[in-house]
Amino acid sequence: MSDWRVRAVRASKRPFSRSDSTAHGGEAQPAPEHSMDPRPDQPAEPVTLERSVVEAAVYRDGRRVEPPVSLADIYRQLPGKPGTMAWIGLFRPAEAQLLEAAERFDLHELAVEDAIVAHQRPKLERYGDTLFVVLRAARYLDDVEEVDFGEVHLFVGPDFVLTVRHSQAPDLSAVRSRLEADPELLALGPEAVLYAVLDAVVDGYAPVIAGLQHDIDEIETEVFGGDPQVSRRIYELSREVIELQRATRPLLEIMKSLEAGFGKYGTDDELQRYLRDVADHATYAAERVDGFRQMLQNILTVNATLVSQRQNEEMKQLAEAGHVQNDEIKKISSWAAILFAPTLIGTVYGMNFEAMPELKWAFGYPFAIGLMALVCTGLYLVFKRRNWL
């Protein structure tokens, strides 16, 4: 036994259990229960149920059997019983609890590490006879017009399914109820649970896509309406679309990997058809999201062009206004210069000095008037030629 598993067993002796109808994110919430660890190699001790176990059940031939009271109880009911499967749902489990589950179901330590750390990209990996699947769910929040992303990890073994959620979405209680209402589908085993979770995640993209389409339509209206805040909204929506693209694109590889193993792992024909239907929906969702990203890039380009055109128009208007102001200033300056000339001459001849030349000259007055007229006329012609007047 590896060191990390030994530490896990020593750190936590807490069982899984079913619970009543109020749960984290819609699944049943665990009720405190006590049980005894039945392993003979250690003395029995009372254990307390972790609140992160939101639902645990054993199914035989597609129908729920006697409710288990502990993980040990579930583990005891599985070996050597054909058609029997356990489905355990965890919500943000403690590390010790997840490590204990890994010890019980012989899960690979790398997959367990990914489930503990979370924030993984969607992927499918096979460790022996156990599949490890990471999915990114999404839901559209109408009140704030934003996309909320979730994450769920699935360990799918020959006779068990362990789901680990790190967010409210997806609502696995609805998936469980759907499967329990269809015993024939649930009787197909753990792969049927994997299909149902995949189907729920992919179907959850539909309202998100519709909400994003509505947001993009609004943005197009705002762009051509000249809303100055539209650039920020385009950027925020682009981030959401990129995040959704990261959730949907890897799904196509997951579905291809599952389809490639249909023959090798003997997947039921009916289940193959269901999984191909999920693949079609996933492809449609991925293509729509890719189209949204291209549309937003085009809208951003159009918005930048329109903003540039508006800025150029404003600059043109400012330039025209400046040109008009310059013309007015030229006219005012020209007339000021013309009026300044006679004022200067009159000021010189208005000085009261006794020994001033030309004061006693008989032609002094007409000479001054003529000089004023000559200077004013000359200035007027000069300014006129330069189009200042």
Side-chain angles (χ1 to χ4, degrees):
M1 183 183 298
S2 60
D3 291 340
W4 68 272
R5 288 179 175 171
V6 172
R7 290 196 300 271
V9 174
R10 292 176 179 173
S12 176
K13 300 296 182 184
R14 292 162 180 164
F16 295 94
S17 174
R18 293 186 61 224
S19 55
D20 50 22
S21 58
T22 57
H24 299 281
E27 288 190 280
Q29 183 176 354
E33 296 183 22
H34 300 278
S35 64
M36 303 294 290
D37 192 333
R39 290 179 297 173
D41 59 330
Q42 294 184 7
E45 58 180 347
V47 290
T48 303
L49 185 66
E50 290 268 1
R51 292 185 61 82
S52 58
V53 181
V54 291
E55 184 73 28
V58 175
Y59 300 92
R60 184 172 295 115
D61 296 327
R63 300 184 183 278
R64 188 190 288 251
V65 298
E66 180 182 353
V69 295
S70 69
L71 175 60
D73 191 22
I74 293 177
Y75 190 72
R76 186 172 54 251
Q77 295 184 49
L78 295 181
K81 296 182 179 179
T84 302
M85 173 192 70
W87 181 1
I88 303 166
L90 304 180
F91 179 76
R92 295 175 182 170
E95 180 177 348
Q97 187 180 21
L98 193 54
L99 290 175
E100 183 184 5
E103 172 68 20
R104 294 287 189 175
F105 293 108
D106 193 26
L107 305 179
H108 196 279
E109 57 189 89
L110 293 179
V112 175
E113 181 182 356
D114 286 346
I116 293 173
V117 176
H119 304 292
Q120 304 293 320
R121 65 176 182 83
K123 61 181 179 179
L124 182 148
E125 296 176 348
R126 183 176 291 276
Y127 298 95
D129 56 0
T130 301
L131 280 177
F132 175 61
V133 183
V134 180
L135 302 174
R136 295 292 305 278
R139 56 178 180 171
Y140 187 80
L141 306 178
D142 291 313
D143 52 344
V144 292
E145 294 185 340
E146 292 180 357
V147 180
D148 178 47
F149 293 93
E151 184 173 345
V152 59
H153 299 183
L154 294 93
F155 295 89
V156 183
D159 55 1
F160 73 90
V161 176
L162 178 66
T163 58
V164 182
R165 286 192 299 127
H166 294 277
S167 58
Q168 296 295 335
D171 180 9
L172 296 186
S173 66
V175 177
R176 191 183 291 266
S177 298
R178 171 194 171 189
L179 284 175
E180 290 182 350
D182 189 355
E184 292 184 2
L185 177 59
L186 187 55
L188 297 178
E191 284 189 335
V193 178
L194 175 60
Y195 150 72
V197 175
L198 282 167
D199 189 50
V201 170
V202 173
D203 286 348
Y205 294 145
V208 176
I209 290 173
L212 290 176
Q213 181 64 67
H214 177 72
D215 290 343
I216 291 175
D217 293 341
E218 287 185 345
I219 284 178
E220 288 179 336
T221 302
E222 293 171 359
V223 164
F224 292 101
D227 188 342
Q229 300 296 327
V230 70
S231 296
R232 180 182 180 88
R233 191 175 181 193
I234 293 174
Y235 172 75
E236 293 174 348
L237 190 58
S238 297
R239 291 183 59 184
E240 292 181 346
V241 169
I242 291 173
E243 192 70 19
L244 185 59
Q245 192 176 42
R246 291 172 179 170
T248 56
R249 293 300 299 178
L251 266 177
L252 305 184
E253 294 299 322
I254 291 175
M255 301 310 299
K256 287 180 181 178
S257 298
L258 287 174
E259 186 173 354
F262 284 168
K264 181 177 181 180
Y265 298 102
T267 304
D268 182 83
D269 292 341
E270 186 68 13
L271 196 55
Q272 290 184 28
R273 286 189 282 270
Y274 286 147
L275 288 170
R276 289 193 181 98
D277 181 67
V278 174
D280 290 341
H281 293 172
T283 301
Y284 171 78
E287 290 176 350
R288 288 294 304 275
V289 175
D290 291 344
F292 286 162
R293 187 170 183 181
Q294 185 61 46
M295 288 175 62
L296 287 171
Q297 290 176 348
N298 294 339
I299 290 174
L300 190 60
T301 302
V302 171
N303 182 63
T305 302
L306 293 176
V307 170
S308 178
Q309 289 178 350
R310 285 194 293 268
Q311 290 177 344
N312 291 338
E313 190 66 26
E314 291 174 357
M315 293 297 295
K316 181 180 179 181
Q317 293 176 357
L318 289 174
E320 291 176 352
H323 182 69
V324 172
Q325 290 177 350
N326 289 338
D327 288 342
E328 297 297 330
I329 291 173
K330 288 177 182 179
K331 291 179 181 179
I332 294 172
S333 300
S334 300
W335 286 111
I338 292 172
L339 295 176
F340 177 73
T343 302
L344 177 62
I345 296 173
T347 300
V348 172
Y349 280 93
M351 291 187 293
N352 298 322
F353 293 107
E354 293 292 338
M356 188 174 180
E358 302 171 354
L359 287 178
K360 304 297 182 179
W361 187 30
F363 297 102
Y365 175 74
F367 174 77
I369 297 298
L371 181 60
M372 293 178 188
L374 180 63
V375 173
C376 290
T377 303
L379 289 174
Y380 178 81
L381 293 175
V382 170
F383 292 142
K384 191 71 174 178
R385 182 176 298 175
R386 295 183 179 182
N387 293 324
W388 283 28
L389 292 175

